[in-house]
Amino acid sequence: MDKMKIEIVLDVYNNIQELTEADQLLLQSARSITSIAYAPYSHFLVGAAAVLNNGEIIKGTNQENASYPVGICAERALLASTANLYPDVPIVSMAIAYHNLNGSSNKPVSPCGMCRQALSEFENRTNQHIRLLLSGMEGEVFIVEKSSELLPLSFGKKDLHNKL
Ligand code: THU
C-alpha cells in the first residue's frame, strides 16, 4: 500500500496594496461589481472579474433565485459570459471578492466545489491555467497560480475518453 500526499501552495498578501498594479485593478473590479450581485436570499454578494488573453475584462456576479438551486455563482456566470462573448479565448487571471451583508468581508473565500469543476473544464478546453486572486472587500489576498490546484484528482474529459 502506498500513500499519496497532495499539497497546494498559495501566495498570501496582507492587502491589495501589496499586489502589482494590474492585479490591484482586477481585484478592485471584482470588489466593485459585488454591488450589482443579485443575492436577496443569502445577502452574500460575490463579484468576479477576469482578464483574458486578448486583454478583455469580463465580470460576473452571483444570481440567486427564489427556487434556490437555480441560482448561479459569480464564477460560473463569468465563465459562461466569457465563452459566449469570446469563444476559445483563455483566461489569464480571475479575481473573486465578496461582500457579506450579514457579517464581515475581510477574509478570502475560495470557489465552491461546483465552480472548481467548471474552472477545471475551462482550463482544459482553453489549454491554459487560470490564476485566481481571492479576497473579501478588504484585508488578505490569496493568489493561486492554477485554479486546478484547488481540485486535486479532478474528474474530466480525460476520464470519459480513456478508451481512446
Ligand atoms: N457564491 C458565489 O457566487 N461564489 C462562491 O465562490 C461562493 C458562493 C454565491 C452562491 C450564493 O448565491 C451565495 O454566494 C451564498 O452561497
Side-chain angles (χ1 to χ4, degrees):
M1 193 273 282
D2 284 331
K3 284 195 192 296
M4 192 178 1
K5 186 174 177 184
I6 300 173
E7 287 181 318
I8 63 163
V9 179
L10 306 179
D11 292 327
V12 179
Y13 295 85
N14 289 319
N15 55 54
I16 194 171
Q17 283 79 31
E18 293 185 358
L19 306 182
T20 64
E21 198 175 329
D23 283 348
Q24 288 191 27
L25 287 173
L26 199 63
L27 179 53
Q28 271 159 7
S29 294
R31 285 178 173 173
S32 149
I33 202 164
T34 59
S35 64
I36 63 156
Y38 180 68
Y41 306 105
S42 71
H43 306 291
F44 192 84
L45 313 173
V46 184
V51 58
L52 313 188
N53 277 22
N54 63 7
E56 293 290 336
I57 304 279
I58 306 291
K59 300 174 192 176
T61 59
N62 54 333
Q63 298 293 314
E64 296 186 349
N65 193 285
S67 175
Y68 292 0
V70 176
I72 185 169
C73 293
E75 296 91 325
R76 277 175 296 126
L78 183 155
L79 292 177
S81 296
T82 302
N84 283 304
L85 290 167
Y86 299 104
D88 302 323
V89 178
I91 291 174
V92 180
S93 301
M94 184 192 299
I96 303 159
Y98 70 96
H99 185 179
N100 182 5
L101 299 177
N102 294 320
S104 56
S105 312
N106 52 16
K107 288 276 170 205
V109 291
S110 57
C112 77
M114 195 182 276
C115 287
R116 292 176 197 210
Q117 181 72 23
L119 285 159
S120 167
E121 184 86 20
F122 199 97
E123 285 191 334
N124 288 333
R125 75 191 263 196
T126 58
N127 280 312
Q128 184 171 298
H129 294 298
I130 302 174
R131 196 168 153 266
L132 296 180
L133 288 75
L134 311 173
S135 189
M137 296 303 278
E138 55 184 24
E140 278 183 330
V141 183
F142 292 168
I143 297 193
V144 184
E145 285 304 323
K146 303 171 183 177
S147 77
S148 51
E149 285 194 55
L150 296 180
L151 193 65
L153 304 180
S154 63
F155 180 80
K157 197 177 184 184
K158 64 183 186 319
D159 302 303
L160 289 174
H161 298 298
N162 63 8
K163 284 188 183 151
L164 295 177

